[in-house]
Amino acid sequence: MTAAALTALLATAAGCSDDNDGVSPGDSIFQQYEVTVFPEGNKAAFANFRLGSATGERVELTDGSWLMINAMTCYYQEPTSPTVPEFNYSMVIPDNHEEAIFTFRRSKDVELVNSVKLGDEKFVTLPEDIKTVANGERIPVGLGDIAPATVEVKLYDVSHQTLGIIDSYPATVFADFCVFDNVPAGTYTLAADVVTVAPTTQNDGTAGGTITKRARVTRQDIKVN
């Protein structure tokens, strides 16, 4: 996803805040944070808040609870289903920021702060001139010392969605190549992510949380015949 596309996505959401006393004391909130970083320096951050656990129902922060990322107000997008949009909260991080700091104000007396360092990402290498992909073809992927198990390579059909979710097709990743299978003919965005996941350190009771960082390389207008 390009920086322009991210900006357009975020512009569709609306900010929110309130002045009351935050999340009910009886609820434990799981914090789900994610940051996507591109080689050219573009960055975007995302968040969900869930009741009790990683699989709990998503909730909106109201009544004086809120999220700020790097001391900036983020945007909230109302869900249309349990999985759409993928994240309720989102914002573009300025290029010169070297950390993503998520501040979750649970109530007037409780703020939980979790962060992830930016700028130390390792990116995979994709062919610069790739224009087509065939099912079963070996696509070169330069991993260097990156473990294949941390790499996700997908083709995204940005022109087509199912129930509001962009259709995507994952590749099988090996040491220096990947292979797609059963991808329908069409035009796609090719994305390769190096994915790292860390637990949050400041948690709401026993609910826990995660911070996922994706170091993403993309190639546009990839044809599958």
Side-chain angles (χ1 to χ4, degrees):
M1 186 179 295
T2 65
L6 284 169
T7 302
L9 168 66
L10 302 188
T12 64
C16 61
S17 63
D18 208 324
D19 297 321
N20 298 315
D21 198 24
V23 178
S24 170
D27 293 333
S28 293
I29 302 299
F30 182 93
Q31 302 164 80
Q32 180 186 0
Y33 301 131
E34 186 161 311
V35 181
T36 301
V37 181
F38 297 86
E40 60 271 22
N42 298 324
K43 310 175 185 75
F46 308 90
N48 285 321
F49 295 90
R50 298 180 178 275
L51 285 176
S53 71
T55 58
E57 179 185 354
R58 293 193 287 180
V59 296
E60 180 182 0
L61 301 181
T62 59
D63 298 324
S65 62
W66 43 251
L67 171 69
M68 296 190 80
I69 302 174
N70 292 12
M72 296 179 290
T73 302
C74 59
Y75 297 89
Y76 177 78
Q77 188 171 359
E78 190 73 27
T80 58
S81 80
T83 57
V84 179
E86 184 178 1
F87 291 96
N88 294 142
Y89 292 87
S90 50
M91 68 166 288
V92 173
I93 298 176
D95 292 355
N96 63 344
H97 286 212
E98 297 178 351
E99 196 171 14
I101 303 171
F102 298 88
T103 302
F104 166 33
R105 185 187 192 271
R106 191 194 189 287
S107 68
K108 64 182 180 181
D109 299 319
V110 178
E111 287 187 5
L112 304 174
V113 181
N114 291 277
S115 64
V116 60
K117 182 183 293 186
L118 306 175
D120 59 352
E121 295 79 28
K122 294 181 179 180
F123 296 91
V124 303
T125 301
L126 293 174
E128 291 287 347
D129 59 350
I130 187 169
K131 298 298 182 185
T132 62
V133 166
N135 287 303
E137 174 189 8
R138 291 189 175 192
I139 309 301
V141 178
L143 300 186
D145 61 354
I146 300 169
T150 67
V151 177
E152 295 179 1
V153 182
K154 293 183 179 181
L155 286 168
Y156 289 90
D157 185 356
V158 296
S159 65
H160 190 268
Q161 301 182 21
T162 300
L163 299 177
I165 300 175
I166 295 174
D167 290 351
S168 64
Y169 301 87
T172 302
V173 180
F174 299 91
D176 56 1
F177 66 92
C178 68
V179 177
F180 287 96
D181 191 25
N182 295 322
V183 180
T187 302
Y188 297 85
T189 294
L190 175 64
D193 293 356
V194 180
V195 183
T196 56
V197 182
T200 49
T201 56
Q202 293 194 7
N203 296 315
D204 184 28
T206 59
T210 56
I211 303 179
T212 300
K213 182 164 65 169
R214 294 181 177 272
R216 174 167 293 182
V217 177
T218 61
R219 298 289 181 267
Q220 309 296 325
D221 300 322
I222 303 300
K223 304 291 185 182
V224 177
N225 298 320

